[in-house]
Amino acid sequence: MSSSDQNTADPSPRPGRLTAAAVCAGLEALALVAGGGYLLVMGLLGRPDSPRQAEMGGLTLIALGLIPLLAARGLLLRRAWSRGPAVATQIMALPVAWTLLTSDGALIPAGIALAVTAVSALVLLVSPTTTEALGISGPDRA
């Protein structure tokens, strides 16, 4: 039986920390897709300075939103591979949060929300409870 089959067949309840990490990744995916959709619509229907740039930015955000979405699904299904993309997404979110926090007043609340979500998700993802639920063994648990 492969490790992914073991994770699927695990009868124990999913730890709350794992579910919370999946929710954080899902919220980030939702924000990326919504922001990308907004840019895409504005590029197609609005009057941006550069419609092509707005459309491409929108498509890029939508595509990037798929990474945390797939990671969230993998976390909910207890797939060990999902922790890597989830952690990478959180690490990439931190500089974005910092940029938002150091911008003009209107974007500061978004920066706070992103920073809190990213740090919370990182703490949840490296938790021993989460790694155990995903079947990830560390160097001392070979």
Side-chain angles (χ1 to χ4, degrees), residues 67-68 70-71 80-92 125:
I67 297 169
L70 292 172
W81 63 263
S82 62
R83 192 174 85 152
V87 168
T89 300
Q90 307 319 313
I91 291 170
M92 290 187 301
L125 288 165

Side-chain angles (χ1 to χ4, degrees), residues 6-79:
Q6 289 173 342
N7 291 341
T8 304
D10 190 353
S12 63
R14 184 183 322 111
R17 290 179 185 203
L18 183 58
T19 303
V23 168
C24 288
L27 288 173
E28 289 169 337
L30 180 65
L32 284 167
V33 170
Y38 174 78
L39 281 177
L40 186 59
V41 168
M42 294 313 296
L44 294 171
L45 304 176
R47 295 199 184 277
D49 292 337
S50 173
R52 182 170 287 167
Q53 188 175 16
E55 293 161 9
M56 199 54 158
L59 290 173
T60 301
L61 285 179
I62 291 170
L64 287 173
L66 294 176
I67 297 169
L69 181 65
L70 292 172
R73 184 176 186 276
L75 290 170
L76 288 174
L77 296 174
R78 293 185 182 191
R79 303 289 195 258

Side-chain angles (χ1 to χ4, degrees), residues 111-136:
I112 293 169
L114 182 57
V116 167
T117 303
V119 170
S120 299
L122 279 171
V123 168
L124 292 166
L125 288 165
V126 299
S127 163
T129 304
T130 301
T131 55
E132 184 179 318
L134 292 173
I136 299 170

